[in-house]
Amino acid sequence: MESKVLQKNLLELIRRTSAELPDDVVRVIEKGWRREEAGSNAKYALKVVLDNIKLAKKKSQPLCQDTGTIICYAELPAWLPQAKFECAFEAAVVQATEVGYLRQNSVDSLTGKNSGNNLGPGSPSFHCSPAKGRALTARLILKGGGCENVGIQYSLPDGRVGAGRDLAGVRLCLLDAVHQAQGKGCGPGILGVCIGGDRGSGYVVSKEELFRPLDDVNPDPRLAKLEKQIMKDANELGIGPMGFGGSTTLLGCKITHRNRLPASFFVSVSYMCWAFRRNGIVLSESGKITRWLYDS
Amino acid sequence: MLLEAPFTEDKIRALKVGDMVEITGVVFTGRDAVHTYLHQGGASPVDLSDGIIYHCGPVVVKEGGRWVVKAAGPTTSAREEPYQGDIIRKFRLRGVIGKGGMGPKTLAACRETGAVYLHAIGGAAQVLAEKVIAVEGVHLMEKFGSPEAIWVFRVARFPAVVTMDSHGNSLHARVLAESEAALGRVRQGA
Ligand code: SF4
């Protein structure tokens, strides 16, 4: 595949991710809207959110002006060297910034200077792995600052939360995570969770968990049960959309695990806002998008 | 309910936590740079008295010689908590629009001077941009850059919820306390 063709397809991935929310996300927001009491602040907030989703798609404009950290997970087939892929993706990011699919959002941490094109050390953030077949899979999350700021990592045992090193302790951490976020992460939110790993891998994996369809069931029955429990418990906290109060506090909870050292037990929680911008494409060797990972 | 300019003390004092309002009139954007500047004694290039400040770093572009607002959602207000109360008092502000709520210093200033905190819907950049019907000016642009400048936006039916009123009530404080009690109950559950 020519670099230019690859770049064009990646640009379309960025555009669609920034402007269109996947159907699985829209469905749970609509469900929340129906559930909230007529005349409540919560229902009002979700109505504006739903209107915004429609309008952004229609205008092909960013759903939220914070177009977030650009996190790309790619499975690369043998015919595509990593350097070539990253180069094409970066070119697509620059172009997307020029045409306004992405905001100028990357700032030098020492000088405070905005790079103006979203490139810089660590931006975009790549996570590449080899693909099994001949197709390229590229997945993208745009993760805003407001919700990233309320993410949290626990080291168990945790005295403040009263959490020990077991699934009951993990449950208390996740409820605490939702509670401490209140409305600050533009809830209703989605939790991506990793039990175990180290401090770094825990957060990376917790974000990858956000790619699961919101209506799937965890293949591990222990985690499926915990996810269900968290959804029920969190929505009883009464925090609601934007922290206005209400019964729609969490739209999803996705949990996975990694092995840990005997000495460590981390629970890493990534909080994602309602503007849950993620999508992905499967590209054939000839440069055709054969599949979008999410309908929108 | 409609909240229309002029934003008089009477109109603002009549608002209560939980009121869903649609704002019509002029609002001034201001975020981190503007708040630090005003707090350090900088002169305001616009008359803020009986005015509303909006915590927003908009995306505004020039099309055919005029400014067009492309995105105009709220940014997190908590960062301005150290300055907001003093600025409300000094400039006689009547309202602050933002997201995430603010703390006790701002709440006290709202009570003293007759001002409210209006919570916009976080992330609703497109809906809110459409409520800006005209850009009437921009100030401090050279100094702070576009997102941090003071934009003078004429808005029509801009939706927000009063989450801190001028009588000492804060929806944020209430939801925090109630959710804490609920957390205690839920923890016992499983
Ligand atoms: S938290 Fe999400 S919805 Fe809120 S401002 Fe940030 S990116 Fe937008």
Side-chain angles (χ1 to χ4, degrees), chain A residues 64 66 144-147 185-186 273-275 277, chain B residues 74 99 122-123:
Chain A
C64 174
D66 183 357
C147 61
C186 289
C273 56
W274 70 260
R277 289 155 291 175
Chain B
K99 75 167 173 109

Side-chain angles (χ1 to χ4, degrees), chain A residues 65-114:
Chain A
Q65 77 256 16
D66 183 357
T67 51
T69 307
I70 303 159
I71 312 170
C72 174
Y73 295 83
E75 287 158 38
L76 302 175
W79 53 266
L80 183 58
Q82 185 167 341
K84 186 177 168 190
F85 172 78
E86 291 188 359
C87 191
F89 191 88
E90 287 180 354
V93 163
V94 171
Q95 212 183 340
T97 312
E98 273 163 15
V99 296
Y101 302 153
L102 297 175
R103 177 173 81 174
Q104 299 179 353
N105 225 13
S106 181
V107 172
D108 184 308
S109 296
L110 299 185
T111 64
K113 193 172 176 304
N114 195 312

Side-chain angles (χ1 to χ4, degrees), chain B residues 153-166:
Chain B
F153 284 168
R154 181 162 294 278
V155 299
R157 309 194 76 119
F158 182 104
V161 176
V162 178
T163 57
M164 293 161 63
D165 65 22
S166 64

Side-chain angles (χ1 to χ4, degrees), chain A residues 17-19 52 61-70 100-107 114 118 141-149 184-186 272-277, chain B residues 31 56-59 70-76 79 99 122-126:
Chain A
T17 307
S18 177
N52 193 67
Q61 294 271 340
L63 196 67
C64 174
Q65 77 256 16
D66 183 357
T67 51
T69 307
I70 303 159
Y101 302 153
L102 297 175
R103 177 173 81 174
Q104 299 179 353
N105 225 13
S106 181
V107 172
N114 195 312
N118 277 312
I141 284 197
L142 300 174
K143 191 165 188 307
C147 61
E148 183 67 0
N149 287 345
K184 292 187 296 256
C186 289
M272 186 74 206
C273 56
W274 70 260
F276 187 8
R277 289 155 291 175
Chain B
R31 46 182 296 169
C56 169
V59 180
K70 291 286 182 188
T75 185
T76 302
R79 291 192 306 267
K99 75 167 173 109
Q126 294 307 325

Side-chain angles (χ1 to χ4, degrees), chain B residues 56-69:
Chain B
C56 169
V59 180
V60 189
V61 297
K62 214 159 207 174
E63 280 176 6
R66 46 186 273 283
W67 293 112
V68 180
V69 180

